[in-house]
Amino acid sequence: MKVFEPQHIRNVALVGHKACGKTSIAEAALWAAKATPRLGNTQAGTSTLDYEPEEHKRVMTVSTSVASFEWKKTKFNVLDTPGDANFLRDTRVSLPAADAAVCVVSAKDGVEPMTERVFGWAVEEGLDRCFFVSKMDTESADFSRTLEDIKEHACREAVPVQLPIGQGAGFEGVIDLLEERALIFGSGDDGLYDWVEIPAQLRDEASHARNQLIEDIAANDEELMEKFFEEALTNEEIVSGLVAAMRSGSIVPVFCGSGTSNRGVTSWLDAWTRIGPSPADRPAFVGTRDGEPAEVSADPEAQPQCQVFKTIVDQHAGKISVLRVLSGTVKADLTLENVGRESGKERIGHPQVLIGKKMDAIEIVKAGDIFAVAKLKDVHTGDTLSSDGFRLAAVELAPPLISRAIHAADPSQEDKILSGLQRIVEEDPGLVISRDPQSGEVLLSGTGQQHIEVAVEKMQRKFGVSCQLALPRIPYQETFTKPVKNVEGKHKKQSGGHGQFAVVMMDFAPAERGTDLTFDDAVVG
């Protein structure tokens, strides 16, 4: 893949509740861009991004995947994130690597619990945001109901920039309110469409929606508002006003389509190349340098700085680190300092671009872009690789919620458990390994039962360590509740020569709760 300047890059995180259609949208984009040989399908197990056996088994994303492709002279780096509550920590860690979040909402199911959570994280991170109402071609799809649900439960600033032409089996196109035209989908799954006039029966609805969109855009800018009341705004003014309103968060545009049939995805890509933020539009990253506040921006000529936002452990290729270039330009064999770790210098061997598990070499990666590199010495998710000591703080995650004791099915493999677990935990920052100091059990802690089960399945598949999970043993403890006096203990030992004999009388009494044991020696004579 060729080298792209920051202004021609779009880093997008697909977020939303599980099974809302995120991966299908990413698969449709890859197929439309001819980056994959077919339209991947999660239900059929042919997805490029959900490639792990654990994902095939559960038919859902359990780990963030990266897909890089070119669309009309713009490079898209799409982060397909998990939506199940068990795996949301991976979503949270990935968000700082994106410049925008596309919150996917099913037209059939509407806003679901994790939709609100991940959208709130995107707001916290200061990302540009939009909604994509997916599954418009499924039975019971309802765009108007879903839009109202979004406004009520997720984002009052949501404003449609597209209206569907039909829904369910009759979903055949969308009305582009910015262009004031309609596009009708082709019969294939390649995402092609034709521009047509807005159907007569939908003109009044489209005109009302466009006027509302323009009014919301003008309300964000005093000059546009004055012109809005005096004369019609030009298309260029409308688009530039929408971009400014998106940056301020006063408007969150809503698109619609279907990933499984590749309808509406290419029109979203076309729109996002125009209105989506590039790394050059993002505010500077704020971190520290030598203990003092510092910031870096997406300038290819600046000193190179990168942050690791994803780690992949492969039994053949070893550890693969996925990084975003915060500033500067990264080249093959560049040496950077791993700030905050004793390992010190790290050499970037051969940068790669990712499409799921497939990697292609690239010689140069400029500021704002995303790349992968294998076999770094001691690099973990959240680490900053810097040329001048700059460090960006890692995302702080909430502590795990449950723990399970883990035992090797074969006692001879007990030693392999810890090494295997440590490699799996490198891949998933939401997992924590510990050892109970009283029972001696190895504990694996995570968000939920399924989270821990997936980790164990991965460890067994990748490293051949078969394990069993159990509830942790609880070391119940007893103590005295009232004084006990004159407890007799005798010591006798006879092994030739002078024997040993002693009688000890002991008194026991409870101490205050929380205090240590105390021993008073009252032996006399």
Side-chain angles (χ1 to χ4, degrees):
M1 184 175 284
K2 64 185 183 184
V3 179
F4 289 82
E5 297 294 331
Q7 60 268 29
H8 298 304
I9 296 172
R10 302 291 183 270
N11 296 317
V12 178
L14 294 173
V15 301
H17 196 86
K18 69 176 181 179
C20 66
K22 302 183 297 295
T23 302
S24 296
I25 291 171
E27 296 286 348
L30 284 169
W31 169 231
K34 303 307 177 191
T36 52
R38 65 174 184 271
L39 176 59
N41 187 293
T42 55
Q43 297 293 329
T46 59
S47 170
T48 300
L49 299 177
D50 283 356
Y51 57 85
E52 297 274 17
E54 294 76 26
E55 294 174 316
H56 293 167
K57 175 181 176 180
R58 294 166 175 80
V59 196
M60 68 177 184
T61 302
V62 303
S63 179
T64 299
S65 290
V66 180
S68 300
F69 59 90
E70 182 179 355
W71 181 259
K72 296 186 177 178
K73 299 182 179 181
T74 299
K75 182 180 181 182
F76 277 78
N77 293 313
V78 175
L79 311 181
D80 178 29
T81 67
D84 185 277
N86 283 278
F87 308 101
L88 282 187
R89 282 170 167 78
D90 207 46
T91 301
R92 184 66 189 93
V93 170
S94 301
L95 282 178
D99 299 310
V102 179
C103 191
V104 182
V105 180
S106 166
K108 180 180 178 181
D109 303 313
V111 173
E112 299 173 270
M114 296 308 108
T115 310
E116 299 176 63
R117 181 181 295 184
V118 294
F119 187 80
W121 285 343
V123 174
E124 287 178 22
E125 199 61 40
L127 305 180
D128 278 31
R129 303 169 294 281
C130 79
F131 285 93
F132 191 102
V133 178
S134 66
K135 302 187 178 183
M136 283 298 303
D137 56 355
T138 58
E139 188 179 351
S140 303
D142 190 325
F143 179 80
S144 298
R145 181 190 65 205
T146 304
L147 179 61
E148 289 304 312
D149 201 19
I150 290 171
K151 288 184 175 182
E152 182 178 352
H153 295 106
C155 177
R156 289 179 295 179
E157 295 78 19
V159 179
V161 294
Q162 290 180 341
L163 295 179
I165 301 175
Q167 47 196 23
F171 181 54
E172 60 181 21
V174 298
I175 298 170
D176 189 317
L177 299 179
L178 295 174
E179 294 290 336
E180 239 180 330
R181 291 189 294 170
L183 51 92
I184 301 297
F185 307 129
S187 57
D189 61 7
D190 51 14
L192 297 177
Y193 57 82
D194 295 315
W195 288 104
V196 298
E197 293 297 319
I198 298 174
Q201 70 274 21
L202 296 175
R203 285 175 188 164
D204 288 344
E205 180 185 358
S207 177
H208 174 75
R210 175 177 163 85
N211 288 336
Q212 184 62 55
L213 173 63
I214 295 173
E215 185 176 337
D216 290 341
I217 291 171
N220 194 57
D221 186 297
E222 290 186 7
E223 291 185 12
L224 288 181
M225 180 61 81
E226 292 178 7
K227 189 173 181 181
F228 173 73
F229 287 113
E230 297 174 0
E231 56 183 300
L233 300 179
T234 66
N235 262 13
E236 291 74 14
E237 289 172 328
I238 294 171
V239 171
S240 62
L242 174 61
V243 170
M246 285 174 58
R247 301 293 181 272
S248 66
S250 58
I251 289 181
V252 178
V254 181
F255 299 83
C256 62
S258 168
T260 53
S261 58
N262 200 3
R263 295 189 165 192
V265 176
T266 52
S267 62
W268 170 77
L269 290 172
D270 289 339
W272 208 248
T273 57
R274 296 177 64 195
I275 67 173
S278 73
D281 300 317
R282 181 168 180 158
F285 289 93
V286 179
T288 59
R289 185 182 289 111
D290 298 327
E292 297 295 326
E295 58 182 43
V296 297
S297 57
D299 179 5
E301 303 302 321
Q303 292 292 325
Q305 328 279 354
C306 310
Q307 187 180 43
V308 180
F309 69 90
K310 176 69 184 169
T311 302
I312 303 168
V313 177
D314 186 90
Q315 63 267 48
H316 305 298
K319 186 167 66 175
I320 300 168
S321 302
V322 189
L323 307 93
R324 172 175 170 136
V325 184
L326 306 177
S327 70
T329 300
V330 173
K331 301 178 181 179
D333 295 324
L334 174 69
T335 298
L336 297 173
E337 179 189 0
N338 188 357
V339 184
R341 289 199 184 272
E342 295 180 359
S343 54
K345 302 292 184 180
E346 295 282 352
R347 187 177 70 86
I348 308 293
H350 298 285
Q352 313 268 343
V353 291
L354 283 171
I355 302 179
K357 64 178 179 181
K358 178 187 174 185
M359 297 195 296
D360 292 318
I362 185 172
E363 289 299 317
I364 296 176
V365 189
K366 293 199 172 184
D369 212 343
I370 287 171
F371 73 98
V373 64
K375 299 180 179 178
L376 296 176
K377 289 187 302 182
D378 184 26
V379 171
H380 303 268
T381 300
D383 286 357
T384 303
L385 302 185
S386 171
S387 59
D388 61 5
F390 176 82
R391 184 181 186 183
L392 186 64
V395 174
E396 292 187 9
L397 297 175
L401 300 178
I402 72 165
S403 299
R404 291 292 180 266
I406 185 165
H407 306 279
D410 180 356
S412 66
Q413 289 191 319
E414 286 286 352
D415 292 340
K416 293 184 179 180
I417 285 183
L418 279 177
S419 61
L421 280 177
Q422 285 165 354
R423 297 184 69 182
I424 291 298
V425 168
E426 286 186 57
E427 191 174 51
D428 187 342
L431 294 169
V432 174
I433 310 170
S434 61
R435 185 183 289 276
D436 189 300
Q438 293 179 303
S439 69
E441 288 185 311
V442 175
L443 303 180
L444 182 60
S445 305
T447 306
Q449 179 72 17
Q450 194 172 45
H451 187 200
I452 294 174
E453 288 175 355
V454 167
V456 170
E457 287 177 26
K458 281 186 178 182
M459 184 172 67
Q460 181 169 342
R461 174 174 58 86
K462 292 183 176 183
F463 310 117
V465 182
S466 182
C467 302
Q468 296 173 343
L469 292 174
L471 291 173
R473 292 203 301 269
I474 299 174
Y476 291 106
Q477 297 177 331
E478 296 178 322
T479 188
F480 291 89
T481 59
K482 61 182 181 180
V484 179
K485 294 189 175 182
N486 296 322
V487 177
E488 182 179 316
K490 288 184 179 179
H491 171 71
K492 296 180 181 180
K493 186 174 182 182
Q494 183 70 48
S495 58
H498 294 291
Q500 296 178 354
F501 177 81
V503 177
V504 178
M505 307 297 294
M506 298 188 69
D507 297 342
F508 295 91
E512 291 186 16
R513 184 174 295 275
T515 60
D516 247 340
L517 293 174
T518 58
F519 177 71
D520 292 329
D521 184 356
V523 176
V524 296

